[in-house]
Amino acid sequence: MTDVITLIQSAILIIAAFLLLLAAYGILRYGDNIENIIYARIHILGVADTALIIALLALNEPLLAAAYFILAPFAAHAIANGYFYGEEEQ
Amino acid sequence: MNILLISEYILLGALAIFAIATIRITTRKKIAMALVGLSGLSIAIATALVLVQHMYNLGFCRDIAIALIFLGPVGTIAFARVLRG
């Protein structure tokens, strides 16, 4: 009989897979001509990041999940900041 | 085939689809769009490597995933800093 922990692990991995597919659809759904589309895509990427952090926790990798949980917001902010000051004014 | 292995295969498939989606937006005109795509791609590949390590007991996959997870965002931040000017 599959124990409860394995069932919970499997459920979490399937939920993460579903969120990932949602993020993949959301990233491609909008065209490039929409204004401020880059910020929307950074936000959608955040959804995918959260799903993968949850998946890493379910796979018994707390170090990797914690590291990425800390680093991902910095990277997202840096991209938005770089775009706002560097590319959007051109 | 137990349920954990099935869910790992499902997540591996979703990671492949997500990786293709991020590669598609990497090829758009703007540099920041490429940064968004690549940072999504690096975490997707790192998670896939952790999955492969779990499913096939390949120890080196985890080491590569650790490097990707730590260095991916750091490289993104550095490049975004250059982009900001």
Side-chain angles (χ1 to χ4, degrees), chain A residues 47-83:
Chain A
V47 172
D49 285 344
T50 309
L52 291 178
I53 286 168
I54 293 169
L56 284 172
L57 284 173
L59 290 168
N60 298 323
E61 298 286 353
L63 166 72
L64 296 184
Y68 199 69
F69 183 74
I70 291 166
L71 286 171
F74 285 104
H77 176 266
I79 294 171
N81 196 272
Y83 176 74

Side-chain angles (χ1 to χ4, degrees), chain B residues 1-68:
Chain B
M1 189 183 258
N2 62 32
I3 186 161
L4 185 59
L5 196 59
I6 293 169
S7 58
E8 283 172 344
Y9 275 117
I10 289 172
L11 183 57
L12 210 56
L15 281 166
I17 293 168
F18 180 70
I20 291 166
T22 52
I23 288 171
R24 268 180 64 85
I25 61 165
T26 302
T27 57
R28 300 294 161 89
K29 278 194 299 290
K30 294 195 170 81
I31 300 172
M33 205 65 83
L35 276 179
V36 171
L38 280 179
S39 67
L41 185 63
S42 67
I43 180 65
I45 290 175
T47 311
L49 284 169
V50 170
L51 267 175
V52 165
Q53 185 240 337
H54 264 256
M55 293 154 79
Y56 303 111
N57 284 318
L58 299 173
F60 68 87
C61 286
R62 186 172 186 271
D63 305 334
I64 300 172
I66 288 176
L68 265 175

Side-chain angles (χ1 to χ4, degrees), chain B residues 64-83:
Chain B
I64 300 172
I66 288 176
L68 265 175
I69 281 184
F70 277 97
L71 298 180
V74 170
T76 302
I77 291 168
F79 202 97
R81 192 69 197 139
V82 170
L83 175 64

